[in-house]
C-alpha cells in the first residue's frame, strides 16, 4: 500500500511546482521558474559546476566560490584551458579536493567531445560524473525526467511515504519513490523544487509543516513522527590521528611541497608533514631549531586530526619541499587544515 498514495495522485507534482513558482530560492547558478517559463534555458556548464561544488558542501559556502570560478572561467572551454594550479588554488577551502581534479578532467573531456551530453546516460560517461550529478544536469539543464536524489530529497521522501528503514539502507527505496513522483512536464524545475522544499520547509529539525504544499499528503506528519525521519543507522565513531607538520620560513618565503595527486588533499600545496595522512611521511624539511607553535585540530570525513605544528625561521639547506615566494601563492590557496597550521606558525614566529 505504500506506493498507492500519493503516487496515484497526478496533482502531487503540480502542487509542488506551484509552490516553487512562488518560493524558489535565488541562486547565482539557477534559471528561476519565471525565466524558465519565458524560454531561458539553463547553461549546462553552470548547472554542472554548481552541482559538483555543492557535493558535501552548503549553498552558503558555495556561492562565493561559484561566482569567482565563473568570473574567471565563464564557460567550459575556459575552464578546460585553465592551469591545474590555478583551479586547485581557487578550490582551496571547499574541501574534497578530488572534486577539483575531476572537474578539470571532465571539462577537458566535454570540450574534446564538443559539448555536454544531453542525457543522464551520456553524462555518466564523463570522468568524475556519478549518478546524482548526471541526473541533476540531465534534469535541470536538459529537462530529462531523471530522478534527482540528494539528502534533502531523501528526507522529503522518507517523511512523505513514512519510510522507516534507516539510511543508508533506505537509499534504493527512496530513489524509487522519488522517481515515481518525477513528472514529464518541467522535470528540471521539479527537481529543484523538491530540493528547495527539503532545504527550507522540510528541514532536518522542526520542519515547517504548516507551510508545506504536501502537508496533506505526508504520512509521517499524519503519524506525528516527521521530525524523527529519516532514520539513520548508528555512526561508527571517527578515529583520531596524530601527526606533525613543519613550517619553515626562509628569507624568500615559506617551504611548501605539493601533495601526491592521489589521496588526501591530493594535488594541493601544503606544509611538509609526517604521520597524519596514512602515508610514510618523511623527515623535517631542514635541520634547524624548531619551536612549538601549537596544535591544530581538524575533522576530515573519516577521522579527526590533532596536528602538532613546529615552526622555524632560518636560511638552511633543504631536505624536502621548496621555498615559495610570498607573491607565488596566497594562504587562501592552501587547504583549510594547512591554512590553520600556517597561521599558527606565523603567529608563533612573530612573537618568538
Amino acid at each position: 500500500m505504500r506506493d498507492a498514495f500519493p503516487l496515484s495522485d497526478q496533482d502531487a507534482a503540480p502542487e509542488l511546482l506551484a509552490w516553487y513558482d512562488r518560493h524558489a530560492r535565488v541562486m547565482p547558478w539557477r534559471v528561476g521558474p519565471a525565466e524558465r517559463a519565458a524560454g531561458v534555458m539553463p547553461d549546462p556548464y553552470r548547472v554542472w559546476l554548481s552541482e559538483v561544488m555543492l557535493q558535501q558542501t552548503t549553498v552558503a559556502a558555495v556561492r562565493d566560490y561559484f561566482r569567482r570560478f565563473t568570473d574567471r572561467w565563464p564557460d567550459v572551454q575556459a575552464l578546460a584551458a585553465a592551469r591545474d594550479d590555478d583551479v586547485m588554488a581557487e578550490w582551496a577551502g571547499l574541501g574534497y579536493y578530488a572534486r577539483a581534479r575531476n572537474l578539470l578532467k571532465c571539462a577537458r573531456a566535454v570540450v574534446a567531445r564538443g559539448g555536454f551530453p544531453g542525457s543522464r546516460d551520456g553524462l555518466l560517461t564523463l570522468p568524475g560524473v556519478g549518478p546524482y550529478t548526471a541526473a541533476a544536469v540531465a534534469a535541470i539543464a536538459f529537462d530529462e525526467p531523471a530522478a534527482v536524489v540528494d539528502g534533502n530529497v531523501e528526507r522529503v521522501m522518507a517523511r512523505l511515504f513514512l519510510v522507516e528503514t534507516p539510511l543508508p539502507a533506505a537509499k534504493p527505496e527512496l530513489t524509487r519513490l522519488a522517481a515515481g513522483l518525477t513528472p514529464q512536464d518541467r522535470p528540471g524545475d521539479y527537481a529543484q523544487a523538491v530540493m528547495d522544499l527539503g532545504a527550507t520547509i522540510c528541514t532536518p529539525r522542526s520542519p515547517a509543516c504548516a507551510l508545506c504544499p504536501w502537508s496533506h499528503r505526508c504520512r509521517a506528519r499524519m503519524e506525528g513522527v516527521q521530525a524523527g525521519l529519516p532514520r539513520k543507522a548508528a555512526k561508527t565513531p571517527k578515529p583520531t590521528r596524530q601527526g606533525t607538520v613543519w613550517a619553515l620560513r626562509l628569507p624568500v618565503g615559506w617551504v611548501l611541497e605539493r601533495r601526491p595527486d592521489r589521496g588526501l588533499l591530493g594535488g594541493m600545496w601544503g606544509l611538509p608533514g609526517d604521520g597524519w595522512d596514512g602515508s610514510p611521511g618523511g623527515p623535517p624539511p631542514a635541520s634547524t631549531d624548531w619551536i612549538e607553535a601549537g596544535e591544530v585540530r581538524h575533522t576530515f570525513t573519516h577521522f579527526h586530526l590533532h596536528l602538532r605544528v613546529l615552526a622555524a625561521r632560518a636560511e638552511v639547506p633543504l631536505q624536502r619541499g621548496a621555498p615559495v615566494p610570498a607573491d607565488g601563492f596566497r594562504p587562501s590557496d592552501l587547504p583549510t587544515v594547512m591554512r590553520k597550521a600556517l597561521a599558527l606558525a606565523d603567529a608563533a614566529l612573530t612573537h618568538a
Side-chain angles (χ1 to χ4, degrees):
M1 289 295 294
R2 176 176 283 169
D3 290 355
F5 174 81
L7 285 179
S8 61
D9 191 333
Q10 298 302 307
D11 292 333
E15 285 172 352
L16 185 62
L17 284 165
W19 172 85
Y20 178 72
D21 289 343
R22 297 190 301 273
H23 301 291
R25 291 180 292 173
V26 177
M27 311 283 202
W29 48 82
R30 176 179 285 179
V31 174
E35 297 170 287
R36 190 69 185 85
V40 179
M41 291 295 294
D43 179 353
Y45 168 67
R46 295 173 70 87
V47 175
W48 162 73
L49 178 61
S50 67
E51 291 297 341
V52 173
M53 286 186 166
L54 286 164
Q55 293 168 16
Q56 307 291 329
T57 312
T58 65
V59 167
V62 164
R63 286 181 187 271
D64 288 343
Y65 281 90
F66 181 85
R67 290 191 179 101
R68 288 201 302 271
F69 259 75
T70 50
D71 285 347
R72 190 167 183 179
W73 302 296
D75 53 38
V76 71
Q77 290 81 10
L79 182 59
R83 293 176 63 249
D84 289 35
D85 281 359
D86 291 341
V87 173
M88 298 302 288
E90 285 293 350
W91 193 273
L94 264 181
Y96 302 93
Y97 294 97
R99 291 183 297 167
R101 298 194 299 276
N102 286 331
L103 196 77
L104 278 166
K105 292 177 185 176
C106 186
R108 289 162 184 165
V110 168
V111 170
R113 66 191 298 164
F116 282 92
S119 69
R120 179 184 179 277
D121 289 346
L123 289 158
L124 280 170
T125 66
L126 295 172
V129 174
Y132 168 78
T133 302
V137 177
I140 298 169
F142 299 109
D143 257 348
E144 180 180 321
V148 183
V149 184
D150 69 353
N152 286 314
V153 177
E154 288 176 344
R155 184 166 58 255
V156 171
M157 295 299 130
R159 291 170 175 173
L160 188 63
F161 291 95
L162 192 57
V163 176
E164 297 189 271
T165 305
L167 286 168
K171 284 179 179 288
E173 182 178 10
L174 297 174
T175 298
R176 179 177 60 82
L177 294 169
L181 283 181
T182 300
Q184 296 293 315
D185 182 46
R186 299 179 63 192
D189 281 349
Y190 173 82
Q192 294 171 103
V194 184
M195 290 189 279
D196 276 13
L197 185 70
T200 64
I201 301 296
C202 195
T203 52
R205 298 178 181 84
S206 303
C209 298
L211 302 177
C212 178
W214 277 349
S215 62
H216 62 296
R217 301 180 178 278
C218 181
R219 289 180 172 178
R221 185 194 64 80
M222 293 173 191
E223 298 293 329
V225 297
Q226 63 270 37
L229 295 177
R231 304 196 191 288
K232 296 183 179 180
K235 291 185 177 180
T236 303
K238 292 181 180 181
T240 298
R241 293 184 187 175
Q242 310 283 339
T244 301
V245 289
W246 294 277
L248 175 61
R249 184 153 201 168
L250 303 183
V252 293
W254 291 101
V255 173
L256 303 176
E257 61 183 13
R258 187 183 298 282
R259 297 186 56 75
D261 285 341
R262 291 186 176 275
L264 196 64
L265 309 182
M268 301 294 292
W269 285 101
L271 296 171
D274 180 56
W276 65 273
D277 59 355
S279 69
S287 295
T288 188
D289 293 327
W290 299 93
I291 64 171
E292 292 275 356
E295 182 183 77
V296 166
R297 297 194 175 194
H298 189 79
T299 296
F300 290 94
T301 306
H302 301 298
F303 66 95
H304 301 294
L305 174 64
H306 295 178
L307 193 62
R308 181 188 183 200
V309 181
L310 299 177
R313 182 188 286 112
E315 186 170 8
V316 289
L318 294 180
Q319 299 174 183
R320 61 188 287 199
V324 179
D327 60 356
F329 88 110
R330 302 165 297 177
S332 60
D333 294 344
L334 299 176
T336 302
V337 64
M338 293 297 172
R339 201 182 311 162
K340 292 178 181 177
L342 191 68
L344 199 62
D346 192 36
L349 292 175
T350 299
H351 296 97

